[in-house]
């Protein structure tokens, strides 16, 4: 798998430290590092940091000691890490510093399909764009070597199709950690005040100019046979692999000059000159923004700026086929049926998930409420009409406070405002938002959905569990301690499965918000993820549907447990025994009480 290949490369190159915050499509990189480092008995510090900014800063300081390091994240994680990222370009590094920022064109599981290569250009650092798992692993070594040669962070930018593709990849012996830490103090550099920043910026520009002439970054040239003179196709990343495949399919390989760009920024200076001098017609295929195209700065280029290549969405082989046909003047047959897949069923929370119970209670308790949500599997609360906004990690609490301050200025009553946030997201960036809401006297309810894991990205541990990335013992940091330390005066812990008591807790929290000395009320809703194997099963409460079911579909449309299914034959709802987790929450849902505990009697 591409992410495993990257993880293997990090270990083989003798990195002493690897950090990350989980996020699709990058999550498996750190897990692979942990696996391969253990196999090689290579001493490494490997950590799931609380967020990407922290992960970046931890790795940066370790690089200052001369050791090789790697930090990995998904593309929106780089937004979180952008502050240390931007400055690290100016100050540079000592030991090789590899930043892996995995992009998600499409997007498949992200709130944007932003192009990290643009971020590299913005920060003025080099970026490598792998087209396959094998190349991704090779580029880990190149990135670390370039980083040390130029004392600059180097980005590796795989996309989902590289991260999750599988390929046979040759393995090398891990180098082992042979370096000892040695931090050389240099305040003008490591503490650079604005007085020194201008010089550092000049130095950075000089590094980029030298990198643009580095022979290792020159695109690979595949000459055509002259059939299509003064015409070339330039591609990078997985788009390169797709483009070459489609040309093969059309039996056009070898008829046109082709270039494979491995380092989209800085683009090799000699390459830019050559393209301008030799070709009249140029097609650039890259994901997701026109990084190569803009550096070529040529009006004759066909690409995203000319709109021959779509400016949004993933460049699938089908789209590339159409682009090539338009550029080369070919008549191509329409895509074969079945290539374009119809949209699937919308995702929903798992059967028995405690988040569903919490959301059901929130919506039932506050029909006119406003419900800012957050990023995680619990975002799916929007299906239950209990999540009204989703922006970015940690934004739910800040947005709840924003809603409160907007409404509180008016003479009208303030609606109940309930923010929901997962446990991992709370550690990631919920804490500063909570401190802010408390200090600014917002009157909001914050429900922390604690399922004891980072579920959506593959069950990485949260700081509360006290488990490290390598499975060792860490020191638990408790959510309740952080909540109390944030100045919150109303804190309750409740099991969402007990809807009656949970609802009463929510009402009590609302009362606190509206009391004369009220403020932020926090409810920690603990319900371990039903997919986590280590979680002990609760008291099972099997259910069945009686003939009182009127077929109103309330339980299907507003509760949406996948174990509740429409039975055409019976003309009413039934329970899928294969899916039902026997949580018993649906017992509270049916308006005609047709969902009852299964006591073994036939209805
Ligand atoms: S089980 Fe109850 S809620 Fe579901 S369709 Fe039947 S009557 Fe409606
Ligand atoms: S008991 Fe009800 S809510 Fe729980 S999993 Fe089964 S059908 Fe779904």
């Amino acid at each position: 798998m591409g992410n495993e290949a990257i993880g293997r490369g990090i270990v083989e190159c003798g990195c002493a430290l690897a950090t990350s915050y989980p996020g699709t499509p990058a999550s498996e990189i750190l897990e692979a590092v942990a696996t391969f480092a253990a196999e090689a008995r290579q001493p490494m510090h490997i950590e799931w940091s609380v967020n990407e900014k922290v992960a970046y800063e931890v790795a940066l300081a370790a690089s200052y000691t001369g050791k090789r390091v790697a930090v990995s994240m998904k593309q929106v994680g780089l937004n979180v890490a952008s502050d240390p990222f931007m400055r690290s370009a100016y100050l540079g590094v000592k030991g090789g510093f590899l930043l892996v920022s995995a992009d998600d064109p499409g997007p498949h599981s992200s709130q944007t399909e932003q192009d990290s290569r643009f971020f590299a250009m913005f920060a003025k650092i080099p970026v490598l764009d792998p087209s396959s798992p094998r190349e991704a692993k090779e580029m880990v070594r190149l990135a670390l070597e370039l980083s040390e040669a130029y004392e600059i962070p180097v980005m590796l930018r795989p996309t989902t199709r590289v991260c999750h593709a599988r390929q046979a990849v040759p393995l090398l012996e891990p180098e082992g950690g042979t370096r000892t830490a040695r931090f050389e103090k240099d305040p003008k550099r490591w503490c650079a005040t604005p007085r020194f920043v201008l010089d550092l910026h000049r130095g950075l520009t000089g590094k980029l100019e030298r990198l643009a002439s580095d022979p290792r970054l020159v695109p690979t040239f595949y000459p055509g046979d002259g059939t299509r003179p003064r015409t070339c196709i330039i591609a990078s990343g997985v788009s390169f692999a797709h483009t070459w495949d489609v040309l093969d399919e059309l039996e056009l390989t070898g008829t046109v000059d082709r270039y494979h760009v491995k380092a989209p920024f800085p683009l090799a200076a000699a390459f830019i000159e050559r393209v301008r001098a030799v070709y009249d017609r140029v097609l650039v295929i890259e994901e997701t923004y026109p990084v190569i195209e803009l550096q070529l700065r040529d009006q004759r280029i066909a690409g995203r700026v000319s709109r021959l290549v779509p400016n949004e969405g993933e460049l699938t082989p089908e789209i590339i086929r159409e682009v090539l046909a338009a550029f080369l003047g070919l008549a191509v047959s329409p895509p074969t049926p079945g290539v374009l897949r119809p949209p699937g069923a919308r995702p929903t929370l798992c059967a028995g998930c405690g988040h569903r119970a919490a959301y059901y209670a929130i919506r039932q308790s506050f029909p006119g409420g406003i419900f800012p949500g957050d990023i995680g599997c619990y975002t799916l609360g929007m299906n239950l009409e209990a999540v009204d906004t989703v922006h970015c990690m940690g934004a739910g609490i800040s947005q709840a406070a924003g809603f409160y301050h907007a409404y509180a200025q008016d003479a009208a009553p303030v609606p109940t405002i309930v923010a929901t946030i997962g446990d991992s997201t709370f550690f990631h960036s919920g804490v500063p938002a909570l401190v802010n809401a408390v200090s600014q006297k917002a009157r909001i309810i914050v429900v922390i959905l604690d399922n004891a894991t980072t579920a959506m990205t593959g069950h990485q541990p949260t700081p509360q569990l006290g488990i490290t990335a390598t499975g060792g013992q860490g020191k638990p940091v408790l959510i309740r301690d952080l909540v109390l330390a944030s100045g919150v005066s109303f804190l309750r812990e409740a099991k969402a499965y007990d809807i009656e008591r949970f609802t009463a807790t929510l009402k009590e929290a609302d009362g606190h918000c509206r009391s004369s000395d009220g403020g932020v009320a926090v409810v920690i809703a603990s319900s371990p993820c039903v997919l986590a194997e280590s979680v002990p099963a609760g008291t099972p409460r099997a259910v069945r549907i009686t003939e009182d079911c009127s077929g109103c579909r309330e339980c299907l449309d507003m509760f949406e447990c996948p174990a509740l299914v429409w039975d055409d034959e019976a003309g009413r709802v039934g329970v899928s025994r294969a899916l039902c987790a026997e949580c018993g929450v649906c017992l509270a849902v049916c308006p005609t009480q047709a969902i009852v505990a299964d006591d073994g009697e036939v209805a």
Side-chain angles (χ1 to χ4, degrees):
M1 186 183 187
N3 282 343
E4 292 169 332
I6 293 169
R8 174 73 190 191
I10 289 168
V11 174
E12 285 182 3
C13 290
C15 286
L17 178 143
T19 58
S20 183
Y21 181 82
T24 308
S27 305
E28 299 85 359
I29 295 172
L30 196 82
E31 287 160 357
V33 170
T35 302
F36 290 122
E39 269 179 27
R41 295 178 190 278
Q42 183 159 309
M44 280 186 79
H45 177 76
I46 303 165
E47 73 169 47
W48 288 119
S49 309
V50 293
N51 65 33
E52 295 85 355
K53 178 178 185 289
V54 172
Y56 198 96
E57 291 158 348
V58 169
L60 199 56
S63 156
Y64 288 0
T65 72
K67 295 196 173 189
R68 283 185 166 179
V69 301
V71 54
S72 55
M73 57 195 68
K74 70 178 295 176
Q75 90 285 25
V76 291
L78 189 55
N79 301 343
V80 178
S82 60
D83 210 354
F85 169 61
M86 297 298 289
R87 183 158 156 95
S88 69
Y90 281 55
L91 272 56
V93 298
K94 277 291 180 185
F97 187 102
L98 170 71
L99 162 64
V100 185
S101 182
D103 282 0
D104 186 21
H108 298 274
S109 54
S110 305
Q111 61 264 47
T112 69
E113 55 173 357
Q114 66 195 60
D115 188 334
S116 294
R117 302 174 312 154
F118 239 103
F119 229 141
M121 196 154 71
F122 183 31
K124 293 187 157 185
I125 68 152
V127 55
L128 306 176
D129 193 3
S131 61
S132 67
R134 176 190 280 231
E135 196 173 61
K137 179 169 169 290
E138 290 165 359
M139 283 182 173
V140 168
R141 182 171 298 277
L142 176 60
L144 288 164
E145 287 172 357
L146 289 169
S147 174
E148 285 177 347
Y150 294 89
E151 296 200 354
I152 192 170
V154 178
M155 180 191 289
L156 178 70
R157 191 294 297 250
T159 54
T160 303
R161 300 296 179 186
V162 172
C163 293
H164 294 167
R166 288 173 190 273
Q167 184 181 27
V169 172
L171 305 185
L172 302 174
E173 270 306 305
E175 285 177 15
T178 52
R179 304 180 189 186
T180 49
R182 187 159 174 270
F183 173 55
E184 288 176 15
K185 297 190 181 192
D186 181 0
K188 284 184 196 158
R189 181 175 179 187
W190 305 129
C191 312
T193 52
R195 191 156 72 89
F196 300 107
V197 167
L198 185 61
D199 271 350
L200 288 170
H201 191 185
R202 287 196 187 104
L204 175 58
T205 306
K207 287 179 189 179
L208 282 182
E209 283 167 5
R210 294 198 301 282
L211 274 157
S213 304
D214 191 307
R216 290 171 288 184
L217 303 188
V218 173
T220 310
F221 177 41
Y222 299 87
D225 59 9
T227 310
R228 297 173 189 274
R230 299 189 67 78
T231 303
C232 77
I233 297 171
I234 300 166
S236 80
V238 79
S239 302
F240 152 79
H242 289 332
T243 302
W244 271 215
D245 282 351
V246 174
L247 284 169
D248 267 352
E249 207 180 277
L250 297 170
E251 298 182 351
L252 291 173
T253 307
T255 66
V256 61
D257 283 5
R258 294 166 297 150
Y259 292 89
H260 175 196
V261 175
K262 297 181 182 182
F265 182 82
L267 202 53
F271 171 68
I272 296 174
E273 279 173 30
R274 178 178 165 81
V275 170
R276 287 197 195 143
V278 173
Y279 300 103
D280 296 328
R281 302 194 66 234
V282 179
L283 172 64
V284 180
I285 302 184
E286 57 184 325
E287 281 179 323
T288 310
Y289 296 168
V291 171
I292 297 170
E293 208 176 321
L294 289 178
Q295 289 174 89
L296 288 169
R297 293 187 297 274
D298 194 320
Q299 297 292 331
R300 294 167 298 174
I301 290 172
R304 292 184 187 271
V305 176
S306 76
R307 303 197 81 82
L308 183 71
V309 179
N311 272 279
E312 305 82 21
E314 193 174 20
L315 291 182
T316 60
E318 293 77 33
I319 291 172
I320 289 175
R321 198 165 181 262
E322 286 174 19
V323 168
L324 285 172
F327 179 70
L328 298 173
L330 310 171
V332 294
S333 50
T336 40
V339 171
L340 302 173
R341 281 166 293 160
R346 73 175 180 180
T348 188
L349 294 164
C350 301
C353 174
H355 298 339
R356 176 178 287 102
Y359 282 132
Y360 185 77
I362 289 168
R363 200 196 62 224
Q364 293 296 108
S365 302
F366 309 115
I370 297 176
F371 308 129
D374 224 298
I375 307 277
C377 55
Y378 55 92
T379 301
L380 295 168
M382 63 199 290
N383 295 354
L384 306 173
E385 297 180 9
V387 169
D388 294 327
T389 63
V390 177
H391 198 79
C392 61
M393 295 283 281
I397 297 175
S398 318
Q399 290 192 317
F403 279 122
Y404 171 76
H405 294 306
Y407 275 93
Q409 293 171 344
D410 302 343
V414 178
T416 299
I417 300 166
V418 187
T420 46
I421 184 166
D423 45 353
S424 188
T425 312
F426 181 68
F427 283 107
H428 180 282
S429 43
V431 177
L434 182 61
V435 171
N436 191 65
V438 171
S439 79
Q440 295 301 316
K441 295 186 171 179
R443 291 167 179 258
I444 57 172
I445 301 172
V446 175
V447 176
I448 302 175
L449 299 164
D450 176 13
N451 62 358
T453 187
T454 317
M456 193 166 72
T457 50
H459 295 278
Q460 294 80 13
T462 70
Q464 181 155 266
L465 300 179
I467 300 170
T468 68
T470 50
Q473 190 64 48
K475 180 166 172 48
V477 178
L478 304 185
I479 292 173
R480 61 167 294 120
D481 290 349
L482 288 173
V483 170
L484 293 173
S486 300
V488 170
S489 54
F490 181 101
L491 170 64
R492 297 287 182 275
E493 295 179 62
K495 304 264 180 236
Y497 288 124
D498 186 344
I499 294 229
E500 207 172 308
R501 285 179 65 181
F502 190 72
T503 303
T505 304
L506 289 173
K507 293 275 172 65
E508 193 192 350
D510 191 39
H512 171 78
C513 291
R514 296 179 187 284
S515 66
S516 56
D517 59 347
V520 177
V522 173
V523 177
I524 302 175
S526 16
S527 50
C529 175
V530 290
L531 298 182
E533 291 170 348
S534 58
V535 173
T539 312
R541 299 179 75 191
V543 297
R544 64 184 170 84
I545 314 292
T546 70
E547 285 174 351
D548 291 337
C549 172
S550 65
C552 71
R553 300 185 68 93
E554 166 87 10
C555 59
L556 300 180
D557 298 337
M558 301 310 293
F559 189 65
E560 216 178 62
C561 174
L564 294 172
V565 289
W566 182 254
D567 182 341
D568 263 338
E569 210 171 294
R572 60 181 162 101
V573 163
V575 179
S576 162
R577 294 283 162 224
L579 294 177
C580 179
E582 301 188 353
C583 69
V585 174
C586 57
L587 289 167
V589 169
C590 175
T592 57
Q593 282 81 48
I595 305 177
V596 298
D598 188 358
D599 52 10
E601 291 173 25
V602 179

